[in-house]
Amino acid sequence: MKGRDGMQLPRAAATILIALAACCALILIFGKTPAAALQSLFLGSFTSAYNFGSMLSTASFLMLAGTGSAISIKSGNMNLGGEGQVYLGGFTTCLALNALRLPPPLAIPAAMLLSAASGATMAGVSAFLKEKRAARPLLTSFLVSAAAIPIIDGLIMSSGSASMTNLLALPYIAETYRLPQILPPSPLSLSFFVAIAVCLVAWHVMFRSGYGARMQVWGTAPTFARFAGYNPAANSYSSLAISGALHALTGFFAVTGCYYTCHKGFYANMGWNALNVALISGSNPLTAIPVSLLLAWIFTSASRVSLTQGFDFDIAGIVQGIILFSVSLTYIKGIRNKKGGRK
């Protein structure tokens, strides 16, 4: 079986198995107590409410941002600016909630809208450059994100709150603006169910609506889409704006449901892991749900083992790199096969 624009399921499974094998090999070589570490790797996420809730919380971020990546891939406007869009979304959320003096029913939706708008605007820059200068979003989205990240870092570092504490972060948001925890003391919040709802809605739009059909035509046969009279600007602006908004909302939920502040670097790997989800799931939001759960289990388990075993390096980072490298190679090969007319 093979999802459209996605990896063959055996290849996707092989990629994840290779990453797990690499993780196990590192544990056996560098772990202080390899047997206990392997047990923690495979079973630790299900042994306590905190570990299980942390895994589901991570999965919710992967679902939201992964759906954003899937939409950009399906439309032919791959968005590689996820890291900066998540960061900007969290930064905007924290600024808004610290500035607004409104009741939570008004302040939280307002911050959510501002966050989504910030991500949509950042991604919209790539759409503008594509339509006006024929620049590829694959490149411009990455460059805009790379430029935005140090700017946000500088704004956080120059804030009064950062200078008075050891944490480079904006002020914590008020407790009334924090999403309630579902499995305390874990960071699991309502964002998990929101993420699932977003995946379901996105799947319906992508595969059961005229807009989704046109978007997929642009992604698979742009020349045919032009001859069919489809509006290229509408596809570019709408798909990238939605993708950027979903990445920014990931930052919103990270701030309101997990960190309660925007600290320097909280976005790390969120955008790239979301791209992993999109590529492995074949850019299908429904498939992104189990893929996100699986990757969240791997990433959180690997990070926990790195911490408890006293590793000098982060196993999760290596696993993430292996998965991204593998799925990227498969995606590039698929593009070359299409251009060569091979199935």
Side-chain angles (χ1 to χ4, degrees):
M1 296 177 62
K2 183 176 181 179
R4 295 178 183 177
D5 301 326
M7 300 178 67
Q8 291 181 357
L9 291 183
R11 290 183 181 178
T15 296
I16 294 175
L17 288 176
I18 290 171
L20 276 174
C23 188
C24 292
L26 290 171
I27 289 174
L28 291 173
I29 295 172
F30 299 102
K32 297 178 180 177
T33 54
L38 288 174
Q39 182 179 7
S40 176
L41 176 69
F42 288 100
L43 302 177
S45 294
F46 309 98
T47 57
S48 70
Y50 177 81
N51 290 342
F52 186 64
S54 296
M55 181 188 74
L56 294 183
S57 178
T58 300
S60 68
F61 301 151
L62 292 176
M63 287 182 218
L64 278 172
T67 299
S69 292
I71 290 173
S72 71
I73 292 172
K74 279 292 187 184
S75 66
N77 300 293
M78 180 177 277
N79 176 16
L80 294 186
E83 301 273 275
Q85 291 154 18
V86 172
Y87 201 9
L88 180 61
F91 181 77
T92 303
T93 297
C94 202
L95 282 182
L97 291 178
N98 281 316
L100 295 174
R101 295 293 184 266
L102 298 173
L106 295 177
I108 293 177
M112 181 183 293
L113 289 175
L114 289 172
S115 175
S118 69
T121 301
M122 179 182 285
V125 172
S126 295
F128 175 81
L129 292 174
K130 177 185 178 182
E131 295 305 317
K132 300 301 182 181
R133 292 291 183 268
R136 293 189 177 185
L138 178 72
L139 176 62
T140 58
S141 60
F142 175 78
L143 293 177
V144 171
S145 173
I149 287 174
I151 293 175
I152 299 173
D153 284 343
L155 293 173
I156 291 176
M157 294 173 67
S158 63
S159 68
S161 174
S163 63
M164 293 185 294
T165 65
N166 292 325
L167 180 65
L168 295 178
L170 295 178
Y172 283 94
I173 62 175
E175 291 188 9
T176 54
Y177 297 147
R178 301 177 184 180
L179 298 180
Q181 295 176 329
I182 296 177
L183 280 178
S186 78
L188 181 63
S189 67
L190 293 176
S191 63
F192 180 75
F193 301 103
V194 172
I196 292 178
V198 168
C199 288
L200 295 176
V201 172
W203 176 85
H204 180 80
V205 171
M206 290 172 67
F207 297 102
R208 292 292 185 271
S209 72
Y211 170 78
R214 291 189 295 273
M215 180 179 67
Q216 293 189 66
V217 172
W218 275 112
T220 56
T223 302
F224 176 82
R226 290 183 183 277
F227 279 110
Y230 297 161
N231 189 332
N235 175 67
S236 300
Y237 281 107
S238 63
S239 61
L240 282 169
I242 294 171
S243 178
L246 289 176
H247 279 91
L249 286 177
T250 304
F252 168 85
F253 284 111
V255 168
T256 57
C258 185
Y259 302 117
Y260 309 130
T261 183
C262 177
H263 63 80
K264 183 181 178 183
F266 85 86
Y267 62 89
N269 295 322
M270 285 188 179
W272 297 115
N273 289 337
L275 187 60
N276 281 334
V277 170
L279 293 174
I280 292 175
S281 65
S283 301
N284 186 326
L286 276 187
T287 312
I289 297 175
V291 170
S292 296
L293 290 168
L294 179 59
L295 291 184
W297 165 64
I298 294 174
F299 296 154
T300 56
S301 297
S303 294
R304 183 176 59 254
V305 170
S306 293
L307 181 63
T308 57
Q309 291 291 305
F311 280 77
D312 294 330
F313 54 89
D314 183 14
I315 298 178
I318 296 176
V319 173
Q320 291 163 359
I322 291 173
I323 294 176
L324 181 60
F325 181 75
S326 300
V327 298
S328 298
L329 284 180
T330 303
Y331 181 78
I332 293 171
K333 182 179 179 180
I335 293 177
R336 289 179 176 176
N337 287 344
K338 284 182 181 180
K339 290 182 177 180
R342 291 176 292 177
K343 295 182 180 181

